[in-house]
Amino acid sequence: MNVLWNKLYDSMRERGYFTGFMVDAITAIDVALWDLCGKSVNLPIHQLLGGSFRNEIPAYVSGLPEKEMSRKIERAKQWKREGFNAIKLHLGYGVYEDVDIVSELRERLGQDIRLMVDAHWKYTVPEAIKMGREFEKLNVEFLEAPTLPEDVEGNVEITRSLDLAIAIGEAKRTKFQFKDRLVKRAADILQPDVGRVGITEMRNIAVLAETFGIPIAPHLSVGLGISIAATLQVSAAINNLYILEYQPSVFPTANKIVNNSLVCEKGKYSLPDGPGLGVNVNETYIRENCSETVLIR
């Protein structure tokens, strides 16, 4: 697959295309070919990638979509009762408001819940550093997307200024983009999205990151059935997996797109053990309800 990926990528390089929709198209082809290959030899993709380091993938809950703080706290406690001990908050409302939200959650939930924060690129470098120092006091595990993804040097400054881990990468699509950020130490955790980079390039990025001692926490926000299955296959086969995103609001729809259900319970995804991706597309549902673009994203 690496040969095919490079041939497809090289075909557009001389025209100045290095990322974006061109790589998204390669990703769709790449995932489909891995699935076909696995099904043709009756092996799951993680076996084709060299075997699995794990059969269950650790997961964090992505978001507490409640406006009132009391309901956010109750939702978090419910997840804890269901066996999830890690939650990422989607913030970016302003430095002081974000800190107040995390502070109240930490006070009400205690220290046995792992809290992460996604700032959605909302802050300047000084703002991100100021906010990050407050998050350090609250035992926040990582700060995701603190400033603009194009600002490599800004992310370097934030990472160097904080003991709190900085996580970036959902917007990037190739090992070439991640290489610059690794060499400059622009993050402590990388978050490539299999739905954007594909299986072949995801493994390449993970291996590259491993040489720098950097873990991978795959981004999996609005990815649906095929994207989730592909992410699980790669997550099982990489040595430096950190944790995987779980979107409860997306999961029911994701499972409608595949015939065999994906499972995330008690803080862990189960690894599909069928051939290829371990799932099959529900073609009837796709034809009746979805556009062609929904399979990967």
Side-chain angles (χ1 to χ4, degrees):
M1 297 302 175
N2 205 45
V3 172
L4 293 174
W5 190 97
N6 279 279
K7 285 184 175 180
L8 290 169
Y9 187 80
D10 289 346
S11 71
M12 299 302 290
R13 176 186 267 137
E14 66 183 43
R15 293 171 175 81
Y17 295 104
F18 305 114
T19 186
F21 293 115
M22 182 270 291
V23 179
D24 290 352
I26 295 174
T27 290
I29 295 167
D30 181 75
V31 171
L33 290 176
W34 275 105
D35 187 41
L36 285 170
C37 183
K39 286 181 167 63
S40 71
V41 296
N42 199 35
L43 288 173
I45 290 170
H46 65 265
Q47 290 296 331
L48 300 181
L49 291 171
S52 61
F53 286 94
R54 57 197 67 83
N55 294 319
E56 294 180 318
I57 313 300
Y60 67 84
V61 175
S62 188
L64 294 174
E66 303 286 355
K67 290 184 179 181
E68 297 178 7
M69 179 57 69
S70 61
R71 298 190 68 176
K72 283 183 184 293
I73 292 167
E74 182 51 41
R75 180 71 69 96
K77 289 180 177 179
Q78 179 61 39
W79 284 121
K80 183 179 178 182
R81 289 192 289 270
E82 293 183 19
F84 289 85
N85 73 338
I87 298 173
K88 185 175 77 178
L89 305 168
H90 292 272
L91 301 179
Y93 303 113
V95 171
Y96 297 108
E97 186 171 354
D98 284 3
V99 171
D100 285 345
I101 290 171
V102 177
S103 180
E104 187 165 354
L105 280 166
R106 176 58 76 203
E107 181 180 355
R108 298 289 297 276
L109 297 175
Q111 294 294 330
D112 55 345
I113 287 283
R114 299 162 64 189
L115 292 179
M116 302 91 160
V117 172
D118 187 345
H120 295 283
W121 309 306
K122 296 292 186 181
Y123 297 108
T124 64
V125 171
E127 288 171 338
I129 293 171
K130 181 177 183 179
M131 184 172 66
R133 286 174 178 154
E134 295 303 314
F135 286 158
E136 287 175 345
K137 300 173 187 176
L138 298 168
N139 196 25
V140 170
E141 194 158 318
F142 68 69
L143 173 58
E144 177 179 338
T147 197
L148 295 175
E150 299 91 344
D151 186 3
V152 179
E153 298 301 335
N155 279 284
V156 170
E157 185 175 349
I158 294 167
T159 301
R160 287 177 178 171
S161 298
L162 297 172
D163 294 327
L164 167 70
I166 300 301
I168 64 170
E170 67 179 88
K172 302 307 172 189
R173 285 169 168 79
T174 69
K175 56 185 169 290
F176 307 111
Q177 293 176 313
F178 281 99
K179 175 189 172 184
D180 190 35
R181 288 154 177 81
L182 285 166
V183 169
K184 293 182 177 180
R185 295 283 176 173
D188 302 292
I189 300 168
L190 294 187
Q191 298 176 298
D193 188 316
V194 173
R196 295 171 183 167
V197 306
I199 291 171
T200 300
E201 195 68 347
M202 181 71 161
R203 182 174 62 171
N204 290 336
I205 292 164
V207 171
L208 181 62
E210 187 177 4
T211 67
F212 287 84
I214 298 293
I216 300 291
H219 178 262
L220 190 54
S221 170
V222 296
L224 297 179
I226 299 301
S227 185
I228 294 172
T231 304
L232 292 174
Q233 294 292 335
V234 182
S235 295
I238 61 175
N239 188 33
N240 52 333
L241 179 77
Y242 184 66
I243 197 168
L244 179 57
E245 187 167 14
Y246 168 58
Q247 273 278 9
S249 60
V250 172
F251 216 61
T253 301
N255 266 326
K256 291 178 181 178
I257 289 172
V258 294
N259 287 319
N260 26 346
S261 294
L262 298 159
V263 177
C264 188
E265 294 176 339
K266 297 181 180 179
K268 296 177 181 178
Y269 283 95
S270 298
L271 177 63
D273 59 2
L277 289 167
V279 297
N280 296 305
V281 174
N282 184 340
E283 295 185 24
T284 301
Y285 181 84
I286 295 294
R287 291 191 184 98
E288 292 177 353
N289 297 281
C290 306
S291 70
E292 289 115 355
T293 59
V294 83
L295 290 179
I296 291 295
R297 298 305 308 147

